[in-house]
């Protein structure tokens, strides 16, 4: 199993967390988004979305992180990312997809580059854009976590929600968003980062992180 991704890509980070939580062995294959390697013919001939992550598994190249996360849970049912109870599964999906569908698109690297290159926005203006959309979704996610009276994790153990939340929180902190105003979210982040699976998946612990300052 090979995971093609970029160490700071939130969607690649999702997959690393999921693979680590499931205890699956995989080889990490770096794809440098800053040099547009994902747009090269060698990559797009395998993944026409020209995006990461791409997972090479069972003789097939698979793209799109949320589809990949659910495929992993179905293909490797041990250590499930989703609970069996239908209402608990809904709770996980409600919060997970709020982050995945509302935040990834407006905060993705091509969008941020477009704001700068096509509209002449400064880095400060781009950062303001980023924090605005973060707040728009993270505030209601935090409110739902408060209603659910969550502990260290959304449910009894980390799963699909935490695999999607942690990368978004990592990026939020990089853009100087005050995650600590969301105490339930910050508590879940701290509990996850104390676990070896999350530590191994963290962007700062990837080999590429030692080779670049970008």
């Amino acid at each position: 199993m090979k995971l093609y991704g970029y160490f700071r890509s939130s969607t690649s980070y999702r997959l690393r967390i999921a693979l680590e939580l499931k205890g699956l062995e995989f080889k990490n294959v770096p794809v440098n988004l800053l040099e547009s390697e994902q747009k090269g013919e060698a990559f797009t001939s395998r993944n026409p979305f020209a995006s990461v992550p791409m997972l090479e598994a069972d003789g097939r190249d698979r793209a799109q992180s949320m589809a990949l996360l659910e495929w992993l849970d179905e293909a490797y049912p041990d250590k499930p990312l989703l609970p069996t109870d239908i209402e608990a599964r809904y709770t996980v999906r409600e919060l997970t997809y709020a982050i995945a569908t509302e935040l990834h698109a407006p905060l993705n690297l091509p969008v941020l580059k477009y704001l700068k290159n096509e509209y002449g926005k400064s880095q400060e203006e781009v950062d303001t854009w980023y924090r605005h959309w973060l707040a728009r979704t993270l505030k209601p996610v935090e409110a739902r976590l408060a209603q659910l009276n969550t502990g260290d994790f959304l449910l009894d153990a980390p799963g699909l929600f935490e695999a999607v939340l942690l990368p978004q929180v990592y990026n939020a902190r990089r853009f100087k968003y005050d995650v600590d105003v969301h105490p339930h979210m910050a508590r879940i982040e701290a509990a996850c980062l104390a676990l070896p699976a999350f530590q191994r998946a963290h962007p700062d612990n990837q080999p590429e992180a030692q080779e670049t300052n970008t």
Side-chain angles (χ1 to χ4, degrees), residues 111-125:
V111 173
L112 304 183
K113 284 184 174 181
Y114 193 83
L115 289 171
K116 294 182 75 171
N117 297 337
E118 300 298 325
Y119 287 96
K121 299 300 180 182
S122 66
Q123 186 61 52
E124 182 178 355
E125 289 172 315

Side-chain angles (χ1 to χ4, degrees), residues 156-167:
D156 295 333
L160 185 70
F161 172 67
E162 288 79 8
V164 172
L165 174 67
L166 266 287

Side-chain angles (χ1 to χ4, degrees), residues 47-59:
N47 176 11
F49 295 102
S51 63
V52 293
M54 179 177 75
L55 187 68
E56 180 184 328
D58 295 346

Side-chain angles (χ1 to χ4, degrees), residues 112-214:
L112 304 183
K113 284 184 174 181
Y114 193 83
L115 289 171
K116 294 182 75 171
N117 297 337
E118 300 298 325
Y119 287 96
K121 299 300 180 182
S122 66
Q123 186 61 52
E124 182 178 355
E125 289 172 315
V126 171
D127 291 353
T128 298
W129 162 281
Y130 200 102
R131 290 190 291 267
H132 167 80
W133 292 108
L134 277 173
R136 188 176 181 275
T137 293
L138 294 187
K139 285 180 179 178
V141 168
E142 174 68 17
R144 180 66 89 199
L145 292 172
Q147 290 176 345
L148 295 167
N149 194 27
T150 55
D152 284 347
F153 310 112
L154 176 57
L155 300 177
D156 295 333
L160 185 70
F161 172 67
E162 288 79 8
V164 172
L165 174 67
L166 266 287
Q168 194 61 69
V169 170
Y170 170 80
N171 282 342
R173 292 194 183 280
R174 286 186 61 220
F175 280 82
K176 296 180 173 56
Y177 180 88
D178 187 6
V179 177
D180 296 327
V181 302
H182 308 307
H184 291 80
M185 204 173 297
R187 184 175 62 251
I188 292 172
E189 177 198 24
C192 288
L193 292 178
L195 300 177
F198 284 87
Q199 293 166 5
R200 289 191 296 268
H202 197 279
D204 293 350
N205 294 329
Q206 305 312 303
E208 308 99 291
Q210 314 306 319
E211 303 168 3
T212 180
N213 293 318
T214 55

